[in-house]
Amino acid sequence: MDTIALGSDHAGFEYKQMLAQWLRDNGYEVRDFGTHSPASVDYPDFVHPLAEAITSGELERGILVCGSANGVCITANKHRGVRAAIAWEPELAALARQHNDANILCVPARFISEDNARIIANQFLTTAFEGGRHQTRVSKIDG
């Protein structure tokens, strides 16, 4: 069974909770890195531990949620080996996986519906990396 790393700030808390339940209902295990309430927090406090779990190989994939998805994405991408991508449409999630081998999906809770968040997460989790010419490019990301 796949374990998905899950994290958010206060703006993404409700969507994180919804996605956690949806993931469990669909056979995934969830490792919740927080936050654990809608009280105002600083997203790096939750993003860095989640990204470290990806970098270390402890977990393979994660989903981060904040209002715009920008803050969590920028923070996650500071970690070597993390390829975090913002998606507000399922096609963006698919391309992030197919062409960039994204390992963290960043969801903008203030800009999409809960239904769309589930569809985007499903697309991210069920789309494979195409490799080939894309592997050459991905291999150049970390320098």
Side-chain angles (χ1 to χ4, degrees), residues 17-37:
Q17 296 300 98
M18 173 274 298
L19 286 170
Q21 187 59 55
W22 176 82
L23 288 164
R24 289 182 188 104
D25 290 347
N26 284 279
Y28 295 95
E29 289 188 20
V30 173
R31 180 155 170 213
D32 188 343
F33 285 81
T35 189
H36 301 290
S37 83

Side-chain angles (χ1 to χ4, degrees), residues 102-118:
N103 49 19
I104 297 179
L105 170 66
C106 299
V107 176
R110 292 183 177 150
F111 295 91
I112 63 172
S113 69
E114 287 188 3
D115 284 341
N116 206 24
R118 287 187 289 268

